[in-house]
Amino acid sequence: MSTSSSPAAIEFVGVEKRFPARGRSAEVLAARDIHFSIAQGEVVSIIGPSGCGKSTLLNMGAGLARPSAGVVKVGGEPVTGPNKHVAFMLQKDLLMPWRTIAENVEFGLELRGVPAAERRAISERLLVQCHLKGFDKHYPNQLSGGMRQRAAMARTLAVDPLVLLMDEPFSALDAQTKMILQQDLAQTVAREGKTVVFITHDLSEAAALSDRILVMSERPGTIVEEIEVAMPDRNNPMQRRKHARLSELVSHLMTLLKLDAQAEVH
C-alpha cells in the first residue's frame, strides 16, 4: 500500500468518455464523472452491467484511448499514450503460436532491448513462479487453457509493470482451474507488491480477490458505490470463499446490480 506521500498507482479524475457518431448513430456517452484512485499494492475490482464502460476505463488506463474529459494518471503522471508502467491481461491469452512459451514471456522485454541473458533469467523465474517449470520450450498449442493463461500472466509480469489491468482473465476457464489461477494470481500479486485493476462479472471472484470493489451503473457508466471487502487473507482467495462475509458481499452486489430482481422475473 502507498504511504500518504506517495502518488496513487492509478487515478481517474473527472473522467468522461464519448464515442463519436457514426452514420445514423448518435454519439455514445460511455462513461461519465469517473473519480477513483488506487493505492500502490492495492487490488480493486470493477463490476457493472455489460456495456457500462468497464473495459473502456482499462483502455484509458493503458493509454489505448484518451478521455473526452478529465485525466487518468499512473504514478502521478497523466496518461497521454501507451504507458510502459501498465500491462494488460485479457480473457484471450494472445500468445504468439510461432514462439515458445519462454519466447512469449520474453517478448515485451525483447521490445525494450533487454539483453538476452537477462530476459532468460526473468522468464525462468516467472515460469517457476507461475507453475510452468519445464514448459519453456513448449508452444502454446501444446498447453491447456489454464496453462496458457499462466503463461500470459508470466508475460504480463515480465515487464515489471506498476499497474496490472486485467479484463476478465479467467472467465473462459472451468470453475476448478479458475479458482486455482485466482489463488496463483493473489499470491503472485502479494509477493510482487503489484497494483491490480480487475474487471469481472463473477461477483464471488471480485470479493475473493480484492481490497475494494467499485460498482458501476448502466451506460453511461459511473461509480455508484465503493465497497471495502474487509476480509483477511487477500493472498488466499480459497480461504476467503469460506468466510461468512463473502456471501454477504455477493448478496449486496446482486442487489446493487438488480440481479436478484432479474432472477425473480425469470
Side-chain angles (χ1 to χ4, degrees), residues 20-186:
R22 293 186 178 181
R24 297 183 179 178
S25 300
E27 179 184 65
V28 174
L29 176 58
R32 62 178 176 84
D33 194 30
I34 302 293
H35 292 268
F36 67 85
S37 65
I38 299 177
Q40 294 176 29
E42 193 176 17
V43 178
V44 173
S45 286
I46 302 177
I47 66 167
S50 294
C52 71
K54 299 185 296 295
S55 295
T56 298
L57 296 188
L58 293 199
N59 286 334
M60 290 188 286
L64 303 177
R66 298 286 296 273
S68 305
V71 63
V72 181
K73 298 180 181 180
V74 169
E77 296 294 326
V79 176
T80 58
N83 193 311
K84 68 178 182 179
H85 299 301
V86 173
F88 229 137
M89 185 172 171
L90 306 173
Q91 179 179 340
K92 294 182 179 179
D93 58 70
L94 301 180
L95 298 174
M96 291 172 280
W98 60 89
R99 296 178 70 115
T100 65
I101 297 305
E103 289 169 345
N104 269 283
V105 172
E106 294 173 25
F107 181 65
L109 298 170
E110 189 178 326
L111 290 178
R112 294 184 181 185
V114 176
E118 186 178 346
R119 296 199 307 264
R120 195 171 307 113
I122 291 170
S123 70
E124 286 175 359
R125 174 178 65 83
L126 286 171
L127 288 173
V128 169
Q129 192 170 297
C130 293
H131 307 290
L132 287 171
K133 183 178 180 180
F135 291 93
D136 54 319
K137 292 182 172 60
H138 285 61
Y139 287 88
N141 66 357
Q142 297 175 299
L143 271 60
S144 68
M147 294 173 76
R148 288 170 64 112
Q149 282 300 82
R150 290 179 191 276
M153 191 187 307
R155 180 188 57 194
T156 303
L157 292 167
V159 295
D160 194 24
L162 175 65
V163 180
L164 276 68
L165 304 176
M166 311 189 81
D167 196 347
E168 300 194 72
F170 308 138
S171 60
L173 303 174
D174 65 84
Q176 182 176 334
T177 302
K178 186 177 187 178
M179 284 194 286
I180 292 170
L181 263 69
Q182 289 167 356
Q183 190 84 356
D184 288 346
L185 172 66

